[in-house]
Amino acid sequence: MSEPVVESMAEVRSHLADAIDRARRDNTPTVITRRGREETVLVDIDEYRRPRRLAEQSEDAWLNQLADEAESEGDSRFHLP
């Protein structure tokens, strides 16, 4: 991913299609400011989805590990004496 371009809301509004193309084609995000403060980031949809996918995979791996550990400890924990 390239270094982000920082632009005001007014600048982005005047050439939104270019900012979208830059995000998709060049993988360059645009940090959008309002009144001099960073407000949001325009990124390619794949960049947006990537952290969510990684978080889901990590959660699945963690749950699988917990299940494996519970299974390796045997069923005795889950039965009444």
Side-chain angles (χ1 to χ4, degrees):
M1 178 182 297
S2 301
E3 287 295 313
V5 172
V6 179
E7 294 183 328
S8 70
M9 180 83 74
E11 291 170 321
V12 172
R13 191 179 299 127
S14 72
H15 64 89
L16 180 59
D18 293 334
I20 292 171
D21 289 343
R22 181 174 51 228
R24 294 201 67 213
R25 181 186 57 243
D26 302 333
N27 204 23
T28 301
T30 300
V31 175
I32 302 172
T33 63
R34 186 184 314 181
R35 296 185 189 106
R37 293 182 48 200
E38 294 178 340
E39 291 285 328
T40 192
V41 179
L42 175 67
V43 295
D44 179 60
I45 191 68
D46 292 333
E47 284 299 312
Y48 168 77
R49 289 179 177 147
R50 184 181 309 166
R52 297 184 70 144
R53 197 169 40 247
L54 290 173
E56 288 172 6
Q57 290 170 352
S58 178
E59 182 179 9
D60 288 346
W62 178 70
L63 290 172
N64 287 334
Q65 180 182 353
L66 287 177
D68 290 345
E69 288 172 4
E71 187 176 313
S72 71
E73 290 176 8
D75 292 339
S76 61
R77 290 186 340 163
F78 304 104
H79 292 150
L80 297 174

